[in-house]
Amino acid sequence: MTRRLTIYVPIFVLLCAALQLPARALSDGAVSGVVRDAGGAPQIGTLVQLVRPDLSVISQTFTDDRGHYSLPRIIPGVYGVKATAALFLPTLRENLHVAPSSKLVVNLTLTTLYEAFRWLPAQPRQVDEPQDDWTWTLRLSANRPLLRVLGDGPLVVLQEADGQNQALKARVSVRGGESGFGDGGVHNGFEMRRNTDDTKQLLVRADLSQAGNTSLNTVVGYEQQLSPVSTLKTVAAFLDRPEIAGGPDAQGLEALVFRSAESLDLTPAIHLEGGSEFEAIHLGGTEVASHPFGVVQVKAGDTSLAYRVTTSPGLEGSGQLDRESTLVPAVGEADGHLLLEHGLHQELALSHESGNVRWTMAVYHDRDEHPMIEGGGTVSEADWKENDLLYDASTDTLRIAGEGYSTNGIVAELRDVLPQDMWISVAAAMGNAMTMDAASGSSSAAPASLQQTIAAIHPGRAETVAASFGGKLQGAKTQWQASYRWQPGNTLTAVDSFNRSLADPYLSFYLRQPLHYRCLLPNGMEAMIDVRNLLAQGYRPVLTSDGSLLYFAQESRAIEAGLAFSF
């Protein structure tokens, strides 16, 4: 018996060991990928190291003649991958979660010190912009590097982990409530953003709303890094608003908008942008227009001087190409003919950053042709026959084209990033705006026709003061923004109307709250509410000749809410 045990025990141990080896091999993970430079060329002989969170090296390898590397047999855990080559800054990818039997693909981009600084935004994201992953902003690379000094001394380029910079993101949303001209009904939205590689981005956005008839809004955008110093971005949008009418025989507005812009870093201190917008609008008749724009910015340390010129309201640079508020054409009607708001805006702005504080002083000259004025109320048969307004039956709002004007003005802004992910912004501006006198804008005034009312609206000198305050609660992930912009009560349009970066008129706020009820709701669910002009300020009532009541306002009160799901 003892002899048998002596024979079988070693055999049993060897058999268990043999079974354990493949099991262990199957449980290990692997990391592989390609190392390129900023121009996309594979880098041969680059040292690639697998490191622990404390940056101690576990294993290393070199890239082959195609820039490919492989790090096999990795015990599951959290690691980093570091790439080092002559003439380049080391590149580090952190927080890589290697699961059992997983095979991660981690592509790295080596950059020089000049390229790393060049890739920082020439015009940083404003502190009062909503921190929304779905706001597609122009970047010179989908994998924008960040410089950091490690504990052991070297300067490295830190790149986002794959889980934080997914190649494909999508979001669906449902919203509804009171809304403005051409934006009525319950909206069902879909948005997708895809990074095809480190130099390309694709955006697809669709919005379908039901308000009597079905309205459609689609946007497709594409961004391509042409070279280490140049980027091209294009956006195409199609809008169908069947509820908008322009006269007895004009029903349903359709618009095609195509925008293109190229940015160029001429030197580390000189940034250039140029582009154009093409619009084709059909409502009874057809109107076609082209609107160019350009930017020249010179930086010296923390100070920059920028000159901007544009011919379309709200389109001052490539960062506004896909912004929803500017894609809807500012179109009206006069004598049965479509009119597009356009003109010439020239601005010279001086900015300076000191720590978390940024101030800007700008002087501008505007020539605004056909400024659009919005209102609401009951449109009479006589008003229709004059063919001087557009009417949206889904929101019971209207739009007219005002008298063109020219103005000089000044804008001052101060922004400060506060502790605990909060910020504050204050601004003041002076210039011309469209105004309506109290006598003509009162329900007690003598009844007037629509033509008389439009004639009473004229440009006048005005000033504005705005304040915004917002932030993000880290624990609850709540994003919020509250603002108030004051203007004289008789103004019907904004001061510096080409600039859409100022806060919404009067009292407005925005709230976005992730919903964390995992037992009932899937991850990625959020609730949103957007309120504009909560106190309904700035309304100018008009009693028409047939006894109906109209009103005009710079911003109608709008309260919208909805849900969004990201995946």
Side-chain angles (χ1 to χ4, degrees), residues 312-510:
S312 178
L315 188 58
E316 293 184 289
S318 58
Q320 288 82 38
L321 251 64
D322 68 311
R323 187 170 295 179
E324 291 187 50
S325 60
T326 66
L327 279 170
V328 179
V331 60
E333 191 176 50
D335 297 326
H337 300 287
L338 291 177
L339 298 176
L340 276 170
E341 183 176 3
H342 65 280
L344 178 64
H345 171 83
Q346 300 181 79
E347 175 186 299
L348 189 64
L350 179 67
S351 301
H352 179 76
E353 293 187 30
S354 178
N356 293 329
V357 179
R358 181 174 185 264
W359 59 261
T360 301
M361 291 287 296
V363 293
Y364 67 90
H365 174 77
D366 282 355
R367 189 186 76 245
D368 196 342
E369 300 291 340
H370 315 306
M372 296 299 152
I373 303 167
E374 296 186 3
T378 304
V379 178
S380 67
E381 185 67 24
D383 294 336
W384 273 120
K385 291 180 178 180
E386 292 180 355
N387 293 332
D388 285 328
L389 61 82
L390 298 184
Y391 181 73
D392 179 14
S394 64
T395 58
D396 197 27
T397 56
L398 58 90
R399 177 182 285 176
I400 63 173
E403 173 189 352
Y405 65 92
S406 297
T407 180
N408 297 314
I410 184 170
V411 181
E413 293 184 77
L414 179 66
R415 306 171 186 269
D416 188 9
V417 178
L418 305 175
Q420 299 180 349
D421 287 334
M422 294 188 297
W423 54 264
I424 189 171
S425 172
V426 293
M430 295 181 60
N432 278 11
M434 300 304 294
T435 64
M436 175 183 282
D437 297 334
S440 57
S442 173
S443 58
S444 60
S449 66
L450 181 63
Q451 286 283 3
Q452 292 172 326
T453 302
I454 295 176
I457 300 174
H458 57 85
R461 201 67 177 171
E463 59 282 333
T464 183
V465 178
S468 302
F469 184 42
K472 182 176 182 179
L473 302 179
Q474 288 301 318
K477 304 296 183 183
T478 306
Q479 299 178 27
W480 57 277
Q481 176 177 330
S483 63
Y484 188 87
R485 191 176 91 203
W486 174 87
Q487 279 188 210
N490 65 336
T491 56
L492 303 179
T493 60
V495 175
D496 192 9
S497 60
F498 282 79
N499 179 8
R500 301 293 172 86
S501 65
L502 295 176
D504 290 328
Y506 308 110
L507 181 60
S508 304
F509 67 86
Y510 171 83

Side-chain angles (χ1 to χ4, degrees), residues 61-117:
T61 185
F62 291 90
T63 57
D64 59 19
D65 56 357
R66 295 176 298 173
H68 184 270
Y69 73 92
S70 178
L71 295 166
R73 297 186 297 277
I74 301 175
I75 299 173
V78 180
Y79 301 94
V81 176
K82 183 179 178 182
T84 306
L87 304 180
F88 292 98
L89 289 172
T91 294
L92 176 65
R93 181 74 62 84
E94 292 182 314
N95 298 322
L96 296 173
H97 293 263
V98 179
S101 303
S102 65
K103 295 182 180 180
L104 295 182
V105 177
V106 180
N107 297 322
L108 299 172
T109 302
L110 292 173
T111 60
T112 64
L113 184 62
Y114 163 72
E115 290 166 338
F117 277 107

